Structures are given as C-alpha cells and as structure tokens.
Amino acid sequence: MKIVSTNIGERRVIDWKGELVTTGSFKFAVDKPIFLDNNNVKGDEISDRESHGGTLQAIYGYSIKHYDFFKPAYPGLDWQFGMFGENLTMDDLDETTIHSGDTFKVGEAILEATVQRNPCYKLGIRFNDMKIVKHFWNTTFCGVYFKVLQTGNVKVGDAFIQIKSCPENPTIAELYSAKRIEKGA
C-alpha cells in the first residue's frame, strides 16, 4: 500500500434541513507532508470527537479503488481525493485483509489498524445525496482507522510497510459487517 493523497479539512458550518451543522468532513488534497499526531492529523478539523479522532480513530485511510466503485452512482460530483473524509487516500487498502492490530511503518510514523469507519449523515452532506450512507453500508469499503504509535510526517508516495500481523484478530471488514448487523443497516 502507498499513499496517493494526503488530505485535511477545515471547519465548515453547513445548513442541513434548517439546522446548522459543524463538520470537518470536507477534506481536500494538500501538496505537502502532513503530521500524524496521537489523536489526529495536525491542522485537520474534527468536529465530532465522539465519532472521529482520538486514540483509536486518529487517522482515517481509504482506498482509491473504492472511488472507482462509487463514481458511477454519483456522476455529477466533482470527484477529488478526500471525498470520503479520509486523511490518507491509498492505492491498495483492502479491509478484508487488514486485521485489527496490524501495524505499519509509513513515512516517519508507525500506525496500528484499529476499527472500521461507520458512515453517518455527514457523508451524505458531503455527497449532497443521503443515498450514499446506505450504499456505503452495503459494501465492505469502509476504510480503516489507525492509532498512531509513533508520531511523524507522511507524504504522497510513502509506502505502508507491515511490521506486525495479527491474523488472530478480526479483519476490518469483519468488524464492519458485525456493526452493520448490530445497527440493522
């Protein structure tokens, strides 16, 4: 796996159904290294700290291959990296092969895969179409949250080098499927 885009977002206030909603989900590619800190990416807005950020969800990675799956269903969008709210767009991230606890060296940082991303209505706001939330739930293309074990800069082209494997733990896709069943999605 390699990083193809590093993405950060600023705080935005959106009018959604007559209510003002604060979000950091509008992330866009940056052309410089980003610093992966213990609880988030330095300079990246996280508005909902209950669902994003923190130790177990400090960094969100998503696969460029998943973009190809979703693009035909949303042809009117201006497709850019960061659309799914990810900090790291990667060339070949596969939730069915990454286990919770798997650890990777990337750039100056060391990251541990922790949990899946569960979609919420803010993804629908980003896509300007709430159908994306159900569409997202009906795949295993959830992306991976990472815990930062060693802080540091990462940049486009940096490879994820696996330094620890935890095949005894569930895959990220298995965690996601279990959550989907639990939520009845």
Side-chain angles (χ1 to χ4, degrees):
M1 296 184 298
K2 275 201 254 184
I3 298 173
V4 295
S5 181
T6 55
N7 314 297
I8 59 174
E10 296 179 356
R11 181 176 193 226
R12 280 198 186 186
V13 178
I14 306 290
D15 183 341
W16 187 68
K17 295 185 177 184
E19 184 179 332
L20 295 180
V21 176
T22 304
T23 182
S25 63
F26 286 78
K27 298 195 187 318
F28 297 94
V30 294
D31 60 357
K32 60 183 180 184
I34 60 175
F35 187 79
L36 308 185
D37 211 344
N38 289 319
N39 293 309
N40 60 359
V41 175
K42 187 174 182 182
D44 182 45
E45 170 66 19
I46 298 175
S47 299
D48 177 2
R49 294 258 174 205
E50 289 183 25
S51 302
H52 308 287
T55 303
L56 295 180
Q57 299 177 338
I59 311 301
Y60 179 45
Y62 202 69
S63 180
I64 192 173
K65 291 181 178 181
H66 301 345
Y67 274 73
D68 294 336
F69 174 82
F70 286 106
K71 278 182 181 181
Y74 307 93
L77 290 179
D78 178 17
W79 285 91
Q80 299 177 35
F81 295 132
M83 286 286 297
F84 291 90
E86 77 274 14
N87 304 112
L88 304 176
T89 311
M90 293 144 67
D91 65 349
D92 196 20
L93 180 140
D94 184 347
E95 296 88 336
T96 66
T97 61
I98 297 175
H99 294 83
S100 180
D102 286 357
T103 304
F104 303 87
K105 171 84 169 116
V106 57
E108 299 171 350
I110 296 177
L111 305 178
E112 178 186 312
T114 56
V115 294
Q116 76 288 348
R117 186 244 178 127
N118 303 319
C120 72
Y121 74 98
K122 288 184 181 179
L123 182 63
I125 291 172
R126 178 70 163 104
F127 272 66
N128 198 29
D129 189 335
M130 286 298 152
K131 288 186 277 183
I132 184 64
V133 178
K134 184 171 177 98
H135 196 182
F136 195 93
W137 269 121
N138 289 328
T139 71
T140 56
F141 302 154
C142 57
V144 178
Y145 274 119
F146 294 95
K147 175 181 183 178
V148 178
L149 300 179
Q150 176 180 302
T151 63
N153 286 302
V154 298
K155 64 185 182 317
V156 171
D158 283 348
F160 272 66
I161 300 162
Q162 191 162 1
I163 58 176
K164 180 181 174 188
S165 179
C166 296
E168 68 281 5
N169 294 342
T171 66
I172 299 300
E174 290 168 339
L175 292 171
Y176 187 62
S177 294
K179 181 56 90 172
R180 180 176 51 235
I181 291 166
E182 176 189 315
K183 289 185 74 68

